[in-house]
């Protein structure tokens, strides 16, 4: 049980009570409770477990009971009962962009909307447009977000599949007849979204491993099962395929099923030029060719070498120049998670984060980081509880005091006082230059007015990244994977401006964003732009997002030296123009 689960549960209860039309005071009590739990300076989970919450302002008697039950048993009867009062389809509506609890409540009560399918047909028939507070424009917007959802219905974010995939890998590797097990396909290539996951096992007893695979508790449906392969669905709809091959076939099979298709086609062509055929099982001498017998490859590196190539990391296999580079010995040495020394874009309870500065710092230290940049929202992001000048100055002071304490404790760790400053519609920043100058660094991001024309948006971003106080540009395109398209913007022009002004571009590691897109990094680096790999963590556990960022950075051909937060504390202080804390 974590602080986040406690707070999230209270918040969800508030939402459901709102849908039920309960008394606003009761609803507010849950919201306040959620906030209090999130921001409480001590170990709130232990206090809840031990039933010692009395006297904490913001948590009334009724909530104390519920928090105690949740923390000590892991579930809450009241919450489960409440959820069961609603049709399960209703919860799908929460995922639609631009539909808040108030609108959902109105739709549910007046038109009986209890699923996305029903909402769609009522939008199409014009019923929704007639509702007070909706109108034709809103109905059209809803249809748009439903269409967007449908067009992505069969894709999954990397962040949503990574957990299950690692669990399945572990389970397959546990089988005594499984000699080698890997996940291949787009997952192994670290695509930001995947359609399905392709597992591969080397074994001499395929039936046994296949049986093991299809009989796990997480299998919600067996789509197909044969002697050497099987396909299943997980509860969330993700399809997982398992193929069994012999140990001798494993290297070629792994190369084939990792793809991409375009990469495979080029590799097959290369084999043919040398007198060999290459398929999903082996490299073989082409009929009529004089070429020497091909060996059995133990791993992909041997196969690549045999074809006259350096080993090509899976992330690079998109046929975008990796084969040519491997031939020339020109492949980049890709960045690794262990190379990161700190990170810059993180939130705290001061804006919309879940953890205090101290908790965030402790988590960063646990991750082996030497510095953590705090970049809470600025005042215009009022929906995210953005900080105004007074609160930001107080936070800067709080960070300075914490740093003094870390120094006194002999810790080699520093919090940097930054801010995620809103880029206003005209490209100006949310704070004046004096305040920006008091910060250690500045992340500038767009959070509103996203439907500007491409020309206006490009001008807006160029103006922001040209500002001398802006250190880095946050989530360049504003996309939310499978949810919201990137806004229209001329990316090369923005990269050009960043290069000219020495502004870093963020690779936002949130699995919803992974923005700037991996396809642009090679170009950005060629222009001399540096990358910052930032988790945009809103809670301590989200520092884990760094791993996704590194996967996508590798996909973008980034090396250690291209990423600014691989610099150690002393080097980054120098780079930011800051004096060490002594
Ligand atoms: P996904 O699942 O759409 O996210 O993307 P992938 O790349 O995982 O594609 P998938 O699952 O259809 O196939 C896995 C790999 O198998 C793919 O990356 C390359 C290989 N493959 C599949 N079909 C073909 C094909 O027609 N030709 C060649 N050369 N390779 C293929
Ligand atoms: Ca796949
Ligand atoms: Zn942001």
């Amino acid at each position: 049980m974590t602080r986040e689960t406690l707070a999230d549960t209270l918040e969800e209860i508030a939402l459901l009570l709102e849908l039920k039309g309960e008394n606003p005071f009761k609803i507010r009590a849950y919201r306040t409770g959620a906030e209090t739990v999130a921001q409480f300076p001590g170990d709130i989970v232990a206090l809840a477990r031990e039933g010692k919450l009395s006297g904490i302002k913001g948590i009334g008697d009724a909530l104390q009971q519920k928090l105690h039950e949740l923390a000590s048993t892991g579930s809450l009867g009241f919450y489960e009962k409440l959820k069961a009062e609603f049709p399960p389809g209703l919860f799908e509506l929460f995922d639609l962009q631009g539909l808040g609890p108030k609108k959902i409540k109105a739709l549910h009560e007046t038109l009986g909307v209890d699923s996305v399918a029903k909402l769609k047909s009522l939008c199409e028939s014009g019923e929704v447009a007639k509702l007070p507070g909706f109108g034709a424009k809103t109905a059209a917007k809803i249809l748009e977000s439903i269409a967007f959802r449908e067009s992505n219905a069969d894709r999954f974010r990397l962040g949503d599949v990574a957990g299950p995939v690692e669990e399945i890998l572990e389970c397959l590797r546990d089988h005594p007849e499984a000699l080698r097990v890997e996940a291949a396909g787009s997952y192994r290539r670290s695509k930001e979204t995947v359609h399905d996951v392709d597992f591969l096992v080397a074994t001499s007893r395929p039936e046994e491993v296949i049986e093991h695979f299809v009989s796990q508790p997480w299998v919600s449906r067996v789509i197909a099962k044969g002697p050497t392969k099987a396909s299943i669905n997980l509860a969330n709809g993700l399809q997982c395929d398992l193929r069994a091959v012999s140990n001798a076939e494993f290297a070629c099979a792994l190369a084939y099923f990792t793809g991409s298709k375009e990469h495979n086609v080029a590799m097959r062509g290369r084999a043919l030029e040398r007198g060999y055929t290459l398929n999903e099982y082996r490299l073989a001498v082409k009929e009529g060719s004089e070429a020497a017998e091909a060996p059995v490859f133990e791993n992909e590196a041997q196969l690549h070498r045999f074809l006259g190539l350096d080993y090509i990391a899976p992330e690079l296999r998109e046929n975008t120049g990796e084969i040519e580079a491997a031939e020339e010995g020109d492949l980049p040495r890709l960045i690794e998670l262990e190379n990161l020394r700190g990170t810059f874009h993180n939130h705290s309870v001061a804006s919309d984060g879940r953890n205090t500065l101290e908790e965030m710092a402790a988590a960063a230290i646990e991750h082996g980081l030497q510095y953590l940049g705090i970049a809470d929202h600025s005042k215009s992001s009022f929906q995210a509880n953005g900080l105004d000048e007074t609160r930001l100055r107080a936070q800067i002071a709080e960070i300075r005091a914490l740093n003094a304490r870390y120094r006194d404790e002999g810790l080699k760790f520093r919090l940097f006082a930054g801010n995620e400053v809103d880029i206003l519609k005209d490209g100006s920043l949310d704070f004046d230059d004096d305040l920006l100058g008091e910060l250690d660094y500045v992340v500038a991001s767009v959070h509103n007015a996203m439907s500007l024309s491409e020309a206006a948006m490009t001008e807006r971003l160029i103006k922001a990244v040209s500002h001398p106080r802006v250190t880095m540009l946050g989530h360049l395109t504003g996309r939310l994977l499978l949810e919201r398209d990137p806004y229209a913007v001329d990316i090369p022009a923005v990269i050009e401006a960043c290069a000219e002004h020495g502004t870093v571009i963020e690779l936002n590691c949130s699995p919803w964003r992974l923005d700037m897109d991996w396809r642009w990094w090679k170009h950005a680096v060629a222009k001399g732009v540096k990358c910052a790999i930032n988790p945009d963590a809103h809670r301590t556990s989200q520092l884990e997002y760094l791993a996704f960022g590194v996967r996508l950075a590798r996909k973008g051909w980034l090396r250690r030296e291209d990423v600014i937060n691989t610099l150690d504390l002393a080097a980054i202080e120098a780079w930011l123009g800051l004096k060490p804390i002594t």
Side-chain angles (χ1 to χ4, degrees):
M1 186 57 50
T2 62
R3 177 194 291 265
E4 289 91 61
T5 319
L6 294 180
D8 287 349
T9 307
L10 295 184
E11 219 154 61
E12 206 168 309
I13 290 174
L15 199 73
L16 294 175
L17 292 176
E18 202 166 352
L19 273 179
K20 271 183 78 167
E22 285 269 359
N23 147 4
F25 292 105
K26 192 165 163 186
I27 298 168
R28 188 159 334 132
Y30 280 94
R31 291 244 153 83
T32 309
E35 199 75 350
T36 308
V37 167
Q39 306 198 8
F40 189 74
D43 186 349
I44 192 87
V45 181
L47 291 175
R49 199 172 40 235
E50 291 153 20
K52 290 185 183 155
L53 294 171
S54 65
I56 297 178
K57 193 168 160 274
I59 304 181
D61 287 347
L63 260 69
Q64 287 177 28
Q65 280 292 328
K66 294 195 172 73
L67 285 169
H68 175 57
E69 182 183 335
L70 188 54
S72 56
T73 70
S75 76
L76 177 58
F78 171 77
Y79 170 61
E80 298 301 329
K81 263 212 253 113
L82 185 63
K83 264 205 314 202
E85 288 178 41
F86 297 91
L90 197 72
F91 296 93
E92 301 169 8
L93 301 179
F94 291 116
D95 293 339
L96 290 178
Q97 201 61 34
L99 258 197
K102 284 213 181 68
K103 285 216 163 66
I104 293 177
K105 181 164 180 274
L107 289 164
H108 184 52
E109 278 172 2
T110 54
L111 298 175
V113 170
D114 56 5
S115 69
V116 170
K118 190 147 184 193
L119 177 58
K120 188 180 175 191
S121 76
L122 289 169
C123 282
E124 284 164 347
S125 67
E127 294 297 311
V128 170
K130 284 188 230 148
L131 277 188
F134 280 74
K137 215 169 145 190
T138 304
K141 269 231 166 81
I142 294 175
L143 277 178
E144 218 173 88
S145 64
I146 293 176
F148 192 75
R149 201 182 105 106
E150 283 174 348
S151 69
N152 289 312
D154 53 353
R155 296 200 72 80
F156 295 80
R157 282 175 287 271
L158 177 64
D160 295 331
V161 303
V165 168
E166 295 307 320
E167 205 173 326
I168 292 171
L169 281 172
E170 200 175 311
C171 162
L172 289 172
R173 284 174 181 146
D174 271 351
H175 195 280
E177 293 298 336
L179 302 171
R180 283 193 274 175
V181 181
E182 293 294 343
S186 49
Y187 178 78
R188 183 163 183 245
R189 299 199 314 281
S190 295
K191 284 284 297 286
E192 65 278 33
T193 63
V194 307
H195 169 68
D196 60 17
V197 184
D198 311 273
F199 292 91
L200 197 66
V201 59
T203 177
S204 48
R205 294 186 178 275
E207 267 115 348
E208 289 178 29
V209 184
I210 298 277
E211 192 53 43
H212 181 64
F213 177 65
V214 300
S215 52
Q216 294 305 318
W218 52 71
V219 174
S220 76
R221 189 164 79 96
V222 179
I223 302 163
K225 190 179 104 170
T228 59
K229 55 183 187 187
S231 294
I232 58 139
N233 276 142
L234 304 183
N236 66 358
L238 177 67
Q239 181 174 331
C240 295
D241 298 346
L242 174 65
R243 281 185 188 75
V245 296
S246 73
N247 205 25
E249 292 165 338
F250 189 79
C252 284
L254 183 58
Y256 180 89
F257 289 109
T258 297
S260 65
K261 207 159 146 181
E262 294 73 16
H263 170 90
N264 286 355
V265 169
M267 292 292 270
R268 201 163 49 218
R270 191 174 176 88
L272 281 173
E273 283 166 17
R274 286 151 196 257
Y276 296 93
T277 60
L278 178 61
N279 65 19
E280 60 261 61
Y281 303 113
R282 63 191 62 83
L283 186 82
V285 177
K286 195 172 79 179
E287 247 183 53
S289 152
E290 307 274 286
E293 197 59 38
V296 167
F297 301 107
E298 281 171 34
N299 53 47
E300 293 177 317
Q302 288 178 0
L303 169 66
H304 291 174
R305 176 98 331 261
F306 190 81
L307 294 174
L309 303 171
D310 283 347
Y311 173 67
I312 304 171
E315 296 91 333
L316 302 185
R317 300 183 198 168
E318 300 289 346
N319 197 27
T320 53
E322 74 278 11
I323 298 175
E324 295 76 1
E327 180 167 38
E328 300 293 323
D330 270 348
L331 283 173
R333 179 163 178 189
L334 300 176
I335 183 170
E336 293 178 23
L337 184 58
E338 291 71 33
N339 299 148
L340 298 184
R341 293 288 172 271
T343 163
F344 281 103
H345 178 178
N346 302 283
H347 297 264
S348 79
V349 285
S351 65
D352 58 348
R354 281 283 189 215
N355 292 96
T356 62
L357 294 176
E358 282 188 79
E359 288 167 339
M360 292 300 285
I365 292 168
E366 211 163 284
H367 276 261
L369 302 180
Q370 300 171 356
Y371 51 91
L372 184 77
I374 298 296
D376 272 314
H377 288 285
S378 63
K379 62 185 179 205
S380 288
S381 277
F382 46 83
Q383 76 291 346
N385 190 23
L387 280 66
D388 60 15
E389 286 80 356
T390 311
R391 291 174 62 218
L392 181 54
R393 285 200 165 93
Q395 187 184 56
I396 297 172
E398 198 184 342
I399 288 175
R400 305 262 184 270
L402 280 169
N403 282 334
R405 211 182 79 199
Y406 298 140
R407 173 204 56 205
D408 294 344
E409 289 169 0
L411 278 174
K412 186 185 178 180
F413 180 82
R414 177 169 180 172
L415 285 172
F416 288 125
N419 191 264
E420 185 183 15
V421 181
D422 269 2
I423 301 174
L424 306 181
K425 197 169 169 183
D426 66 353
S428 62
L429 301 174
D430 206 8
F431 290 126
D432 65 28
D433 289 2
D434 285 346
L435 180 48
L436 295 178
E438 292 171 38
L439 293 165
D440 295 337
Y441 71 101
V442 170
V443 183
S445 307
V446 164
H447 292 113
N448 65 358
M450 297 192 198
S451 44
L452 296 184
S453 70
E454 177 174 324
M457 186 61 93
T458 305
E459 198 182 323
R460 176 185 185 185
L461 287 190
I462 289 177
K463 182 167 171 196
V465 302
S466 309
H467 190 292
R469 298 262 185 235
V470 170
T471 319
M472 57 187 77
L473 174 60
H475 44 69
L476 195 156
T477 74
R479 74 177 180 188
L480 294 176
L481 289 166
L482 309 182
E483 285 269 325
R484 183 172 80 203
D485 278 330
Y487 39 70
V489 59
D490 180 348
I491 295 176
V494 175
I495 290 174
E496 195 72 49
C498 287
E500 189 186 336
H501 296 278
T503 305
V504 170
I505 296 179
E506 165 181 274
L507 196 175
N508 188 298
C509 316
S510 159
W512 290 78
R513 297 186 179 273
L514 298 171
D515 186 10
M516 178 167 85
D517 189 278
W518 58 271
R519 294 160 185 85
W520 288 105
W521 285 111
K522 218 199 290 184
H523 173 72
V525 166
K527 292 282 174 185
V529 173
K530 297 273 186 216
C531 167
I533 298 183
N534 287 333
D536 199 353
H538 284 71
R539 49 184 68 194
T540 53
S541 58
Q542 291 178 349
L543 288 174
E544 303 279 345
Y545 289 170
L546 285 170
F548 297 125
V550 170
R551 289 181 71 164
L552 271 295
R554 290 170 62 87
K555 196 157 190 61
W557 294 53
L558 292 179
R559 305 160 301 171
R560 177 185 195 150
E561 54 269 40
D562 302 321
V563 176
I564 199 74
N565 49 316
T566 59
L567 294 178
D568 70 10
L569 179 55
I572 206 84
E573 284 171 335
W575 180 77
L576 289 170
L578 299 172
K579 281 204 231 61
I581 296 171
T582 47

